[in-house]
Amino acid sequence: METEFTPLSSLVGGMLIGISAVILLITNGRIAGISGIVSRILPPSIHRSELSQGLLFIAGLILAIPTWYFIDGGMPVQFVSNNYLVLSIAGLLVGFGAVFGNGCTSGHGVCGISRMSTRSIVATSVFMTTSFLTVLFLRHGL
Amino acid sequence: MRNFITLVTGLIFGIGLIMSGMTNPAKVQNFLDFFGNWDPSLALVMGGAIFITMPGFWLVQKRKSPFFEKLFHFPTKSDLDFRLLLGAAIFGIGWGLGGFCPGPAITSILTGSKGTFLFVMTMILGMVLAKSLVVTLERNRDV
């Protein structure tokens, strides 16, 4: 599906993500890495001290769609593949890779780069490259 | 108060993801498709976020501690290990394949899309598997 270039809403949306990450750091002292926040409250080795704040942050994320619907009057545009097998494999790889590599787009890509972390800069370069190659293979069969 | 702030912080993050277009897998895949109908929007999402977090984090770190905790919890590792590289490579393949990363997928769980729900469930399974593997690897290393 074709999508339009949305410079303004993408920039403002990105800035909101940044504002949220700064608030989380100054209040809870945590890096806003979503895979980290989610995985720390999953078994094995659940971090009990992070359970309540982690669940509240996730609840906030989940409330964003109903809030958006309430303000905007419509659902945001989403085009999700109907190939359930591919989506299941993709989910498995995203979850496994993010936790095994200690971070995802938010933790490494935004927060880590902002802290000039070498690990995050390398991780972001690696996942950008493999995601680009995956789409290249998927769409152009190369 | 703390609980309310954390909830709203998550809400702001989610609204940012929706507004930016990150919750639309097609938009993510079009960003990654230089040789198709390339949509550069996501570069602005990352740019917009870093534009705030880079000076923001720097300012916050001038404090000795955050408001509600004794200390900041920053990642402590600094070496480039096998786990980081392999994990990031696998993550990228999944991200390209599904067009969802963890934040947008969890944010979209109430949209009623079966595919999205399935993605979140297998993502959580993948996280539990990775955590279990890390625990095993670290136990063997310590022996």
Side-chain angles (χ1 to χ4, degrees), chain A residues 1 3-4 6 10 14 20 26-29 39 42 44-45 53 78-79 88 91 100 105 114 119 127 130 139-140, chain B residues 2-3 6 9 20 23-24 27 30 33 39 41 49 53 67-68 73 79 83 88-89 92 101 108 122-123 131:
Chain A
M1 190 189 84
T3 52
E4 264 178 66
T6 51
S10 287
S20 166
I26 201 168
T27 55
N28 287 353
S39 70
L42 288 175
S45 70
Q53 298 304 311
Q78 283 187 298
F79 182 78
S88 303
F100 203 65
T105 344
S114 300
R119 276 171 61 84
F127 71 64
T130 56
R139 291 195 170 167
H140 306 281
Chain B
R2 178 184 185 180
N3 291 348
T6 304
T9 308
S20 66
T23 49
N24 184 0
K27 207 167 170 64
N30 288 346
D33 189 5
D39 179 352
S41 305
T53 47
F67 295 158
F68 304 126
H73 303 272
D79 56 319
R83 265 187 60 194
C101 52
S108 306
T122 58
M123 180 180 86
K131 273 191 89 169

Side-chain angles (χ1 to χ4, degrees), chain A residues 1-32 34-35 38-47 52-54 56-68 71 75-81 84-106 108-111 113-116 118-120 122-124 126-128 130-132 134-136 138-140, chain B residues 2-7 9-27 29-37 39-42 44-54 56-57 60-61 63 65-69 71-75 77-98 100-104 106-111 113-116 118-119 122-135 137:
Chain A
M1 190 189 84
E2 277 193 45
T3 52
E4 264 178 66
F5 179 42
T6 51
L8 191 64
S9 57
S10 287
L11 188 71
V12 176
M15 288 167 85
L16 285 177
I17 294 169
I19 289 167
S20 166
V22 172
I23 298 174
L24 192 70
L25 187 67
I26 201 168
T27 55
N28 287 353
R30 295 266 166 208
I31 290 291
I34 306 301
S35 60
V38 176
S39 70
R40 279 194 296 270
I41 60 172
L42 288 175
S45 70
I46 297 172
H47 291 52
S52 66
Q53 298 304 311
L56 282 162
F57 188 88
I58 294 164
L61 279 183
I62 294 173
L63 280 175
I65 289 272
T67 307
W68 182 273
I71 295 170
M75 290 292 259
V77 179
Q78 283 187 298
F79 182 78
V80 185
S81 156
Y84 295 148
L85 179 67
V86 168
L87 278 174
S88 303
I89 294 168
L92 202 62
L93 296 176
V94 164
F96 184 90
V99 171
F100 203 65
N102 291 106
C104 57
T105 344
S106 48
H108 281 315
V110 173
C111 298
I113 287 184
S114 300
R115 296 173 55 243
M116 307 274 213
T118 310
R119 276 171 61 84
S120 291
V122 170
T124 306
V126 171
F127 71 64
M128 279 295 176
T130 56
S131 58
F132 166 78
T134 304
V135 172
L136 190 70
L138 213 62
R139 291 195 170 167
H140 306 281
Chain B
R2 178 184 185 180
N3 291 348
F4 179 72
I5 291 173
T6 304
L7 184 79
T9 308
L11 180 64
I12 296 171
F13 201 102
I15 297 280
L17 287 172
I18 298 168
M19 185 184 278
S20 66
M22 290 290 292
T23 49
N24 184 0
K27 207 167 170 64
Q29 288 176 324
N30 288 346
F31 171 69
L32 296 168
D33 189 5
F34 293 163
F35 302 116
N37 299 301
D39 179 352
S41 305
L42 262 57
L44 288 162
V45 183
M46 213 170 186
I50 294 174
F51 178 73
I52 301 290
T53 47
M54 203 173 254
F57 282 8
V60 171
Q61 284 179 79
R63 296 176 55 89
S65 61
F67 295 158
F68 304 126
E69 295 262 330
L71 292 167
F72 287 107
H73 303 272
F74 290 115
K77 283 187 188 176
S78 59
D79 56 319
L80 299 173
D81 54 359
F82 148 83
R83 265 187 60 194
L84 180 84
L85 300 174
L86 183 67
I90 293 173
F91 171 78
I93 296 171
W95 191 38
L97 212 54
F100 271 134
C101 52
I106 290 171
T107 302
S108 306
I109 200 162
L110 287 187
T111 54
S113 154
K114 258 191 216 164
T116 305
L118 207 58
F119 181 96
T122 58
M123 180 180 86
I124 289 171
L125 178 67
M127 286 178 169
V128 172
L129 286 175
K131 273 191 89 169
S132 311
L133 183 61
V134 169
V135 168
L137 288 176

